[in-house]
Amino acid sequence: MKVSAADLFVKVRERKPLVHQITNFVTVNDCANATLAIGGSPVMTSSPREVADMVKLADALVLNFGTIDDKALEAMEIAGKTANALDIPVILDPVGVGATAYRTEQVTELLRKVNFQIIRGNASEIHRLMGGDIVTRGVDSGELTISNAELAAQAANKLNSVVVVSGAKDAVSDGKHTSIIDNGNLLLTNVTGTGCMATALIGTFSGVTDDFYAAAVAGISTMSISGELAAAKLQEDEGTGTFRVRLIDAISRMNKETWMHEVKINEEIQN
């Protein structure tokens, strides 16, 4: 897995995949910049009147629920169905699922209408996508009684998708194999949009391969490693604003060699 994920860095730089993203207005600029930094080409079209035509040009589609409304949902359904028909990978970021009934109902409906190759969320979001079948002490990610790795594996089987659970230790699973990534820095939680940016990176890697497990590993680990590298560059009088800039810098400098040197990854095989 480590080798196959590493090879994607070269492919992205060579092919410059077009990544169509229907994302939220809070993080749209950072998602576009993260896509550019790793070597992809972002397009952020969200009008229901043109998303089908744009998807036909794309190598991957990212759907992000951050600032969802009826118009965005209409666009997501059109774009997702078009991508499915053309075998273009679709990646879901269920931001805030579980916070309101509307958000939870709409993402559940979208899951019935669109096939997602990869889903990335925090533990609470992924738990809610599964309908609360896992026993917890609450809905916050810190209160789950199972690990991110266990949750990712169960969700992958139930949702029929590669699942990424982000957190202190990120986990990626296809239901049979699970990778645990132990990179990252706490400052990533103090800058809005880093999760959305991670999903954009996953979408970019998905645009150059049909190994969506490897794409998910490459994308989520790139964000975590870049967080470490950005934090290490900070001076004593610098804070989260500078960290945000250095984060994009670190993503832009990421390559196969740096990734292989920095990534901390373990793989488990489920019975």
Side-chain angles (χ1 to χ4, degrees):
M1 171 47 53
K2 190 173 179 180
V3 173
S4 58
D7 288 340
L8 297 181
F9 289 89
V10 176
K11 291 182 179 180
V12 166
R13 299 289 183 187
E14 290 177 346
R15 300 184 190 178
K16 301 186 186 303
L18 181 65
V19 186
H20 182 185
Q21 302 175 56
I22 303 176
T23 188
N24 75 80
F25 56 71
V26 176
T27 65
V28 61
N29 185 65
D30 285 330
C31 290
N33 281 328
T35 303
L36 286 166
I38 200 62
S41 180
V43 59
M44 320 305 276
T45 299
S46 60
S47 170
R49 298 180 63 179
E50 68 171 344
V51 291
D53 289 337
M54 191 61 73
V55 168
K56 293 174 184 177
L57 304 175
D59 298 295
L61 172 67
V62 174
L63 304 181
N64 180 302
F65 257 61
T67 51
I68 199 67
D69 58 26
D70 290 348
K71 183 178 178 181
L73 283 167
E74 180 185 358
M76 287 182 181
E77 181 178 343
I78 295 168
K81 288 180 176 179
T82 302
N84 285 168
L86 297 173
D87 290 325
I88 295 167
V90 189
I91 299 87
L92 174 66
D93 191 332
V95 179
V97 167
T100 67
Y102 172 78
R103 188 174 293 261
T104 305
E105 289 165 2
Q106 294 305 320
V107 77
T108 302
E109 183 67 17
L110 194 64
L111 283 168
R112 285 197 287 265
K113 295 177 178 178
V114 176
N115 295 321
F116 291 94
Q117 281 63 56
I118 304 174
I119 300 172
R120 188 216 67 85
N122 63 35
S124 177
E125 291 160 350
I126 297 302
H127 167 252
R128 281 304 184 96
L129 287 187
M130 294 179 67
D133 292 341
I134 299 171
V135 177
T136 72
R137 296 190 301 271
V139 298
D140 292 335
S141 58
E143 296 183 356
L144 294 173
T145 59
I146 64 172
S147 68
N148 284 354
E150 293 171 309
L151 177 61
Q154 292 187 29
N157 284 316
K158 182 163 185 176
L159 300 172
N160 194 29
S161 173
V162 173
V163 171
V164 182
V165 180
S166 55
K169 289 187 178 182
D170 302 315
V172 181
S173 184
D174 62 4
K176 296 180 179 179
H177 303 85
T178 302
S179 289
I180 304 162
I181 301 156
D182 195 13
N183 293 96
N185 187 278
L186 189 60
L187 282 173
L188 286 167
T189 65
N190 293 332
V191 176
T192 189
T194 54
C196 300
M197 292 162 68
T199 306
L201 293 172
I202 291 169
T204 306
F205 286 110
S206 299
V208 298
T209 183
D210 58 3
D211 185 347
F212 302 121
Y213 181 55
V217 168
I220 192 64
S221 61
T222 292
M223 177 55 67
S224 296
I225 294 167
S226 296
E228 289 183 351
L229 297 176
K233 291 284 187 180
L234 287 180
Q235 302 301 310
E236 185 176 346
D237 61 344
E238 295 175 336
T240 54
T242 304
F243 174 77
R244 177 174 171 270
V245 173
R246 294 194 189 281
L247 182 63
I248 295 290
D249 287 345
I251 295 170
S252 71
R253 292 194 301 267
M254 190 65 62
N255 56 34
K256 178 179 179 178
E257 291 72 28
T258 299
W259 186 85
M260 289 285 287
H261 182 265
E262 298 291 339
V263 72
K264 302 168 187 173
I265 186 170
N266 291 297
E267 187 173 25
E268 299 177 350
I269 299 177
Q270 273 66 47
N271 295 324

